[in-house]
Amino acid sequence: MDTYFVILLIVGITSLFASFSPIILKRFKISFTIPLLFLGAILYYLKAPLPWPDPIWNESLTIHFSELVVIISLMVAGLKIGLNYSWKEWRNPLRLLGITMPLFMVAVFLFTYYILKFDGPISLLLAAVLAPTDPALASEIQLNKKQSASSKNVGIQYNLTAEAGLNDGLAFPFIFLAIVWSKNGSLGAEQWQEWLSFYLIYKLVIGILMGIIIGFLYSYFTKKLSNDNNRKIHQAFVAISLTLISYGLAEILNSYGFLSVFFAGLFAHYHQHQKNEKTESEPSLSFIENIEKFLIIFWIIFFGGSVMAGILDFITTTSLLFCFGLVLILRPLLGYISFYKTDLTPKKKLAISFFGIRGIGSVFYLSYAIKHGNFQDANQLYSIVALVILISIILHGFTAKRMINAFDDIEKKNS
């Protein structure tokens, strides 16, 4: 039997299943990631001829595939949010970034350093890897369409989308700090100066500026072109093109491409927002969302296979408790604390805090750091990150749709 045709058959059946999954899963109110996770495990058990992890992921392949999924998800998040939100409305997601995320990192560092007995660079790496929420796996509980100034979500879905859009880029400076620490054995004045000037300030500022400029220029020129009704842009490819341009240019300039992509998405509607109008030149969300979903499908399948392949074999009892504690206690607690004295209801605070989904971004960061740094115990690190993701997929996969439906019902009753 030709392996190539078997792979084609698997891809076709899997993508067809994903196409019909909304109908099937609507009744059970679970995320599409749950059955795909089990499908991956079954395909591994049946020895389907796919490039399965053995048991740890191939670093280069994992970096590039997870990187692609994340940047596409960031563009989707940026396009949906746009420039419709005021500074006041940005305060809540910024609390998650400015309060929850740093406290989470400190807590993870202290626990892994003093309880799990990892060295400093590894403890910092785990803190940075596990800190960001995931824009891809959390897509089902984020904004489901492009927002407008007159009608926009300012509750759970908006806060989770904005948080995921920003914190992937903001975790990267600490990944690099861990890499620098691992290579030098200590952090002296020279290392701190390099980190502050280059990895923190330069890369953050240039990444954000590149995104804003690319989004603004796209909006400006397409607005000019669309004034002539005879000139119409093929919208389907715009969003994916902006993703690749903003990410590629930012990385060429040694800045943070994740932030560049998100801000390019935010500013891609700049001139339309100024006049609160819709034009023929607006980037199409449907095409890039389908690409995002297609890539996530196969990422989840391979993740399910990696669980069967033994990626969790390096977990200890203490690290097992640590992983459950992160998802069930630490993130919900710190998230709730960050919303102290905000106008959100207690139930919304709890929901936003609870759904700090970990996923593909964490895998990218870990693989990137392992490849470029000098870290020991790589297998155990992969096991810890994989277990946190697995817990998040299952726990949030069974609860997210029910939560969103419950809040939608409440808002309909109040309206």
Side-chain angles (χ1 to χ4, degrees):
M1 187 181 297
D2 194 318
T3 299
Y4 170 72
F5 296 114
V6 175
I7 293 174
L8 290 183
L9 177 63
I10 292 172
V11 171
I13 293 174
T14 303
S15 55
L16 185 63
F17 169 79
S19 301
F20 284 92
S21 64
I23 300 173
I24 301 169
L25 300 179
K26 185 176 181 180
R27 178 180 177 183
F28 299 101
K29 296 180 181 179
I30 62 174
S31 169
F32 76 100
T33 57
I34 299 295
L36 289 173
L37 183 70
F38 286 101
L39 178 59
I42 293 169
L43 288 174
Y44 179 87
Y45 178 77
L46 296 175
K47 298 181 180 180
L50 296 174
W52 301 108
D54 187 30
I56 303 302
W57 300 301
N58 175 275
E59 287 171 10
S60 297
L61 181 61
T62 302
I63 288 171
H64 294 306
F65 187 68
S66 57
E67 179 182 47
L68 182 61
V69 180
V70 172
I71 61 174
I72 288 176
S73 297
L74 288 171
M75 176 56 70
V76 171
L79 289 173
K80 286 179 178 178
I81 294 174
L83 299 175
N84 294 297
Y85 293 87
S86 66
W87 170 248
K88 182 179 179 181
E89 290 163 336
W90 270 100
R91 288 180 185 176
N92 285 338
L94 290 177
R95 283 172 174 265
L96 292 169
L97 297 168
I99 300 174
T100 303
M101 189 172 172
L103 290 178
F104 185 93
M105 291 180 63
V106 170
V108 171
F109 178 86
L110 293 175
F111 190 94
T112 54
Y113 187 78
Y114 288 105
I115 306 300
L116 296 182
K117 302 299 182 181
F118 288 140
D119 62 24
I122 289 179
S123 296
L124 178 58
L125 177 62
L126 275 176
V129 163
L130 295 172
T133 55
D134 193 78
L137 298 188
S139 60
E140 288 185 303
I141 56 172
Q142 294 178 359
L143 295 172
N144 56 16
K145 62 180 179 180
K146 178 181 174 292
Q147 303 298 288
S148 64
S150 58
S151 175
K152 57 188 174 183
N153 179 290
V154 293
I156 297 168
Q157 291 164 292
Y158 160 64
N159 280 277
L160 291 171
T161 307
E163 179 195 14
L166 288 171
N167 66 10
D168 263 300
L170 296 178
F172 227 148
F174 300 97
I175 301 293
F176 278 111
L177 183 60
I179 292 173
V180 170
W181 193 354
S182 74
K183 287 183 173 181
N184 292 276
S186 63
L187 291 173
E190 182 180 347
Q191 286 76 40
W192 278 111
Q193 183 179 2
E194 178 190 17
W195 181 74
L196 286 169
S197 60
F198 180 66
Y199 291 110
L200 185 64
I201 297 174
Y202 171 82
K203 290 173 81 71
L204 280 176
V205 171
I206 299 301
I208 293 171
L209 282 177
M210 282 299 99
I212 292 174
I213 291 170
I214 290 169
F216 177 86
L217 288 176
Y218 165 78
S219 176
Y220 175 79
F221 284 112
T222 52
K223 173 64 178 173
K224 292 291 185 182
L225 289 172
S226 65
N227 286 335
D228 184 346
N229 291 328
N230 293 323
R231 303 175 190 166
K232 292 187 179 181
I233 298 168
H234 199 319
Q235 300 174 53
F237 301 124
V238 166
I240 191 69
S241 302
L242 285 176
T243 302
L244 300 177
I245 291 169
S246 56
Y247 188 74
L249 183 58
E251 291 295 324
I252 288 172
L253 295 175
N254 285 320
S255 62
Y256 291 130
F258 284 174
L259 286 174
S260 179
V261 170
F262 181 64
F263 277 88
L266 291 179
F267 279 80
H269 298 295
Y270 178 81
H271 288 85
Q272 289 77 34
H273 283 298
Q274 294 298 98
K275 295 186 177 181
N276 194 26
E277 61 184 18
K278 181 176 176 64
T279 74
E280 291 294 328
S281 63
E282 289 196 2
S284 171
L285 266 172
S286 59
F287 182 72
I288 193 170
E289 279 186 306
N290 287 331
I291 294 177
E292 176 193 31
K293 190 77 72 178
F294 188 79
L295 293 175
I296 292 173
I297 287 168
F298 290 99
W299 190 93
I300 290 291
I301 285 175
F302 281 113
F303 182 75
S306 71
V307 173
M308 291 291 290
I311 198 170
L312 303 180
D313 289 352
F314 309 99
I315 289 289
T316 64
T317 302
T318 309
S319 57
L320 176 69
L321 296 174
F322 164 72
C323 293
F324 275 97
L326 288 188
V327 179
L328 295 174
I329 300 173
L330 188 60
R331 159 67 191 207
L333 177 63
L334 296 180
Y336 198 89
I337 290 173
S338 70
F339 288 125
Y340 179 66
K341 287 190 175 181
T342 63
D343 55 359
L344 293 170
T345 66
K347 288 184 178 180
K348 286 186 177 180
K349 292 178 185 178
L350 184 60
I352 295 169
S353 304
F354 177 72
F355 286 104
I357 296 176
R358 268 58 184 172
I360 302 173
S362 295
V363 173
F364 166 78
Y365 281 133
L366 180 59
S367 300
Y368 184 94
I370 295 298
K371 182 175 182 178
H372 293 90
N374 183 23
F375 297 97
Q376 305 298 320
D377 300 318
N379 289 351
Q380 191 172 3
L381 297 181
Y382 274 113
S383 279
I384 289 173
V385 172
L387 181 56
V388 170
I389 295 171
L390 180 63
I391 295 168
S392 183
I393 289 175
I394 294 175
L395 178 65
H396 298 132
F398 277 106
T399 56
K401 285 185 175 293
R402 289 177 170 81
M403 183 275 296
I404 292 295
N405 290 341
F407 277 98
D408 286 344
D409 291 340
I410 292 173
E411 290 179 2
K412 286 178 182 178
K413 290 179 181 178
N414 295 334
S415 60

